[in-house]
Structures are given as structure tokens and as C-alpha cells.
Amino acid sequence: MRRSVVGLTGVTRGLIACFLLSLFLAAACGPPEEQGLRSAATKPNILLILTDDQPAATVSKMAAVEAKLKEEGLSFENAFLTDPVCCPSRATILTGRYAHNHGVWTNDEPRGGAEGFKARGLAHDTIATRLQREGYATGLFGKYFNGYGDERYGPPGWEKWFAFVGNHRDDSYQVVSEGKIRIINRAEWNTTDLIADKAEQFVRTHEQEPWFAYVAPHDPHGPYYP
């Protein structure tokens, strides 16, 4: 199976995302005749895992991540985060722009969050929209932006949309899927296990075409639910 696996933590995710965008979006902007020559066999599958607020040093303690992501994916040993704040960093990952260019400066409205990203029209030109134009199946699983919770709104570029809503309780949490808000019993489904399951279903459904899966768990960010 063709694949490119990149795991990001809160420490290194900004610059790595810019590299990932430049690597794949530069190809997407080639001359039309060159684009027409590229077949699905030349397009790598992309699994982008964005953990939330994870210190980079903890990755060395995760045996499965070390074996699967680092050995089979890419490792950036000299990378720097351009903005340590959650939503500005996520906006950079999705758009490939610095915060002073995309304008998402905080986690809250009006200068940030899900509504700030939407209000600036940024959702119309992201890694998802560009890869979809290149023939990729695209799916987001997990956290989008702080403040997201409108089941009527699914950003362009995403074929599969399974996103957390900001309202979390000790016994349950909510996700938006297929235009509806679903309440999930926390005792039945751990949040990370659930989005991993949905992402795996997405990948298996699109084995015959190139795919891009954006998997963004809440973990290890608090609050913590044992």
C-alpha cells in the first residue's frame, strides 16, 4: 500500500505541516498537462496525526508510535513551531500560512477559533480542498477548532467529516457526523479509540484511490477522563 505517515505533536506540528503542504501542494500546482499525466499510483496516501499538547519527549516512550510512525514515516529533527497556540497552529497546518498571514491569532472569536477561521474564508483553500482537486479522498476525524459545534456546517474539501463538538461532560461527549450531532457515551467509546476506528473504516473504504486522513485526538490534552 502506498503511504506517507506523519505524526505531529504540539511542539513540532507547525513547521512540519508547512513542509507537508509545500511537498504535496507544490505538485498540485503544476501545469495542467503534467497533472493529467499523474496516475493514482504516483500519489502517496497521507495519514496526518495531530496529537494535542503532547511534549515531544514523550514520543520516545510510545513503542507502537516509534515502530510504526518513525520507522515507516518521516522524522523532522530540527523543526520549530511558529505559534504555540492551538487554533493559530491548526490554521497553519490546514493552510500552510504563518499566523500573520492567515489572521487566526487566538483560540476565541473574533480573531480565532472555528468561527474566526470560517469568517476569513480560509476553509475554501486548505490542504483538503487542494488534495480533493487532485483526486484524493479526504477525511477529518477528531478536533477541528475550538468553538466548533454547528452541525449544519461542514467545511469544503472534506468527503468524510467526523468532528468533535466543544461540549464535553464527564459521562459523554459530542461529535458532528453526516450533518447531525451525536452524543457518545464515554464509558462505551474512548474518544481516541472512536476516531481511530472511524479513520480505519475510511482508509479501508478507499484502498483503491489515494486518500488523506487528518486524525486529531484530544489526547493528551486535559481534562483527563480515566
Side-chain angles (χ1 to χ4, degrees), residues 160-222:
K160 182 66 177 180
W161 184 256
F162 194 86
F164 290 132
V165 175
N167 300 324
H168 284 252
R169 297 161 44 98
D170 289 344
D171 61 346
S172 65
Y173 56 95
Q174 299 179 10
V175 298
V176 170
S177 177
E178 299 177 352
K180 298 179 180 179
I181 290 182
R182 296 173 51 192
I183 299 176
I184 309 296
N185 187 321
R186 195 179 294 280
E188 296 178 2
W189 271 110
N190 171 273
T191 57
T192 301
D193 290 341
L194 178 61
I195 64 169
D197 181 77
K198 295 299 182 182
E200 181 179 356
Q201 291 179 28
F202 170 80
V203 168
R204 293 190 183 280
T205 303
H206 296 90
E207 288 183 341
Q208 302 305 315
E209 58 187 310
W211 50 261
F212 167 57
Y214 179 101
V215 183
H218 278 306
D219 296 334
H221 196 296

Side-chain angles (χ1 to χ4, degrees), residues 13-26 29 48 50 82 87-104 113 116-118 120-130 133 144-145 155-156 158 212 214:
R13 62 193 180 194
L15 188 59
I16 297 174
C18 291
F19 178 87
L20 182 69
L21 286 169
S22 65
L23 181 63
F24 293 104
L25 301 188
C29 296
L48 176 60
L50 175 60
T82 63
C87 288
S89 184
R90 290 173 189 272
T92 293
I93 289 171
L94 290 172
T95 66
R97 305 179 189 178
Y98 289 110
H100 59 262
N101 290 326
H102 60 57
V104 177
F117 190 80
K118 177 182 177 182
R120 285 165 181 74
L122 298 170
H124 294 282
D125 185 21
T126 65
I127 187 173
T129 61
R130 294 201 180 196
R133 288 199 297 270
Y144 180 49
F145 281 102
W158 301 101
F212 167 57
Y214 179 101

